[in-house]
Amino acid sequence: MKKSLILIIAVFFTLPLFISAQNSVDYLEGRLESYYGGRWQELYIGDEFGNDARLRLSDEGYAELLVGDALVSLTQDGSYEVNQLVQGSSSVGARGLDIMKKLTLSTEHEKWQHEATMGVRGAEAITSDVTGMEDAFTYLEAGMKSMDAGSYDEALINFEEGWEYFEDYNCLLFTALCYEILGQKRSYLRNLKDVDAEMLEPEYRGIYMVRMAEMMIRSLDYEGAVDLLGWEELDPYSEEEQQQILYLLGAAHLGIGSDGNARKAFQEAVDMSPSSEMGRRAAEALSTF
């Protein structure tokens, strides 16, 4: 799968777009500076900056900025012009899509554990004298049991070791999800981008597809999201995942100006289950055409 470089993740609350006189730092990992008075000044959570500001992110940073009516996340070190961060969002935001509301995944860890048993145990076991664990599945299963118990730090340890010792991409995917739950957004994004979808068990591919496409859309990489989702066969995925994929595909098509394909994707999402959350959100998008 082609791995794109994600620079900016932007989430838009309402339209029309309006950039307020003051903007602020909402979340920060790493170092963020604003160029003012001929020099760079460090910013912290809660600090404000002007609409014409130039920002610089460093130390492998991750920042979320409140910029007018938008929540903008920077995920790669570099310099940014504030007045350019909201460019390219109007085609999606004009449809009233609630892109701010992050899609949720099923938390049926017992189901994941069962599928892991059927999938990973069906493969040839890999032994390790160093770790004392039989195979990657041992870590995957232990991590999922910890997730089911709400012990996400413990789950993270198991998933990370499963990746470290066996380079198992299923473990890497769940490492990313643990970081997301624990609120470590920078680590979540970086682990997710390192996942090779072709190396995942079929049962987990849908989780990855939803998360990766969502990240691309929030980064305004609409073409990348269409490329990721447009050729996918939906049959292997659960109904929940299928609806999420169709909704995201509709949003991505809107981003590239393909209203006909967007309408088709939203309608298919509605037809699957009109009363579900995704069905209602897709119906709201359809009502704007």
Side-chain angles (χ1 to χ4, degrees):
M1 169 191 154
K2 180 181 177 182
K3 293 188 176 180
S4 60
L5 189 62
I6 306 300
L7 297 181
I8 306 169
I9 296 179
V11 184
F12 296 88
F13 296 21
T14 59
L15 282 186
L17 290 177
F18 173 77
I19 300 180
S20 65
Q22 291 296 330
N23 315 293
S24 62
V25 181
D26 191 58
Y27 180 89
L28 178 62
E29 293 182 58
R31 181 181 177 90
L32 182 66
E33 299 166 285
S34 175
Y35 191 75
Y36 180 78
R39 63 189 181 91
W40 292 98
Q41 298 182 351
E42 188 168 2
L43 297 176
Y44 302 91
I45 293 175
D47 284 351
E48 297 182 341
F49 51 90
N51 298 334
D52 57 351
R54 187 195 317 169
L55 304 179
R56 182 169 66 187
L57 186 68
S58 58
D59 291 350
E60 298 183 343
Y62 174 90
E64 291 186 351
L65 315 174
L66 295 175
V67 181
D69 292 325
L71 177 65
V72 179
S73 298
L74 311 180
T75 65
Q76 180 178 322
D77 289 354
S79 296
Y80 301 89
E81 301 292 336
V82 174
N83 60 12
Q84 294 180 1
L85 296 180
V86 295
Q87 296 302 314
S89 66
S90 59
S91 56
V92 173
R95 301 295 182 179
L97 298 190
D98 191 4
I99 302 299
M100 173 193 170
K101 188 174 183 181
K102 192 169 182 63
L103 300 184
T104 58
L105 294 172
S106 171
T107 55
E108 298 175 0
H109 302 136
E110 291 182 359
K111 173 177 177 289
W112 288 346
Q113 291 171 30
H114 172 72
E115 291 172 342
T117 303
M118 299 301 292
V120 183
R121 280 244 169 110
E124 182 179 354
I126 304 174
T127 60
S128 172
D129 295 332
V130 176
T131 67
M133 292 287 198
E134 292 182 353
D135 51 34
F137 166 76
T138 312
Y139 287 106
L140 193 63
E141 182 182 43
M144 288 180 177
K145 286 181 178 178
S146 295
M147 285 183 73
D148 197 45
S151 301
Y152 299 111
D153 288 317
E154 181 179 337
L156 180 60
I157 292 172
N158 281 287
F159 293 138
E160 286 185 324
E161 290 185 350
W163 168 246
E164 178 182 357
Y165 294 125
F166 297 105
E167 294 187 357
D168 180 80
Y169 282 95
N170 305 289
C171 287
L172 183 60
L173 172 62
F174 282 94
T175 293
L177 296 180
C178 276
Y179 275 122
E180 180 188 32
I181 293 169
L182 292 170
Q184 299 184 42
K185 301 176 184 180
R186 174 172 56 178
S187 296
Y188 160 66
L189 291 172
R190 289 180 179 171
N191 280 275
L192 184 67
K193 287 188 286 185
D194 285 340
V195 172
D196 184 345
E198 295 182 358
M199 300 299 292
L200 292 173
E201 291 296 319
E203 293 83 2
Y204 308 137
R205 185 177 171 91
I207 299 170
Y208 168 81
M209 297 297 288
V210 168
R211 280 292 183 258
M212 192 66 187
E214 186 177 52
M215 182 170 68
M216 287 178 170
I217 290 171
R218 289 166 182 260
S219 75
L220 311 183
D221 183 11
Y222 301 125
E223 291 186 359
V226 169
D227 289 343
L228 178 68
L229 301 177
W231 303 101
E232 279 295 300
E233 294 291 337
L234 297 182
D235 290 345
Y237 303 137
S238 68
E239 182 176 291
E240 177 188 22
E241 291 167 346
Q242 289 183 37
Q243 274 199 307
Q244 291 178 333
I245 287 172
L246 288 168
Y247 179 81
L248 290 170
L249 182 59
H253 276 301
L254 281 181
I256 62 175
S258 181
D259 284 12
N261 286 328
R263 187 186 299 111
K264 180 175 182 291
F266 288 135
Q267 187 62 62
E268 289 180 5
V270 171
D271 292 342
M272 288 190 63
S273 180
S275 62
S276 70
E277 179 188 357
M278 280 293 94
R280 292 192 298 270
R281 289 170 67 174
E284 290 174 2
L286 279 172
S287 70
T288 66
F289 284 93

